[in-house]
Amino acid sequence: MQRIHGVSALTRAAVRRLEDERLERDAVAEALSRFAWVFRQPGRYVNASEVWEPGLEVEDARDTLEEAMRHLPRGARHDLGRLVRRIDAEFERRTLPNPGRMSEWTAGRWWWWRIRER
């Protein structure tokens, strides 16, 4: 069991319940870990060739966090949201806009509309 750092024990408990009901075990901690790993990579921009695991993009991790945020109780959503807002700001800073990636599939998920360095 991975621990989520930077949130309260109540939020961790709410996340655990959510994972048991809707997500996989440690899904939120894993998503947060993926972003921590990506942001530790060298360079100004997020490198598209660096992948956590083949077939899993960092954007997939953001999808997991979005799913969690949508279903957590208000207090836990706010607490986890502080971490997600920091991730969003750093991801936006380290990627470039790509309006051409907008599609019905990515509607409302701006993180899929970003370009990473190749």
Side-chain angles (χ1 to χ4, degrees):
M1 177 172 14
Q2 293 185 39
R3 183 178 174 137
I4 300 171
H5 299 281
V7 297
S8 71
L10 287 174
T11 296
R12 286 192 298 274
V15 166
R16 180 67 57 218
R17 279 191 303 277
L18 174 66
E19 289 173 338
D20 288 345
E21 294 170 6
R22 291 186 157 276
L23 303 171
E24 295 178 17
R25 190 167 205 44
D26 294 327
V28 172
E30 178 77 14
L32 293 169
S33 293
R34 254 195 266 174
F35 274 102
W37 179 81
V38 164
F39 294 155
R40 281 194 305 270
Q41 301 307 308
R44 159 69 169 91
Y45 295 104
V46 173
N47 187 335
S49 64
E50 296 286 338
V51 295
W52 175 267
E53 191 174 303
L56 288 178
E57 304 290 339
V58 71
E59 292 87 352
D60 293 313
R62 184 58 181 81
D63 285 345
T64 299
L65 295 174
E66 188 69 15
E67 178 77 7
M69 297 285 287
R70 194 170 28 252
H71 296 287
L72 283 170
R74 187 173 59 191
R77 184 173 48 243
H78 178 74
D79 196 18
L80 182 62
R82 288 181 301 104
L83 298 179
V84 173
R85 282 190 298 279
R86 283 187 241 152
I87 285 169
D88 287 351
E90 183 66 4
F91 190 70
E92 191 170 17
R93 187 182 77 77
R94 295 185 66 180
T95 58
L96 299 169
N98 183 4
R101 284 189 77 180
M102 290 181 195
S103 70
E104 211 173 283
W105 181 77
T106 62
R109 300 182 309 176
W110 65 267
W111 50 93
W112 284 101
W113 307 345
R114 307 294 294 179
I115 298 173
R116 294 183 277 149
E117 183 177 66
R118 299 208 186 277

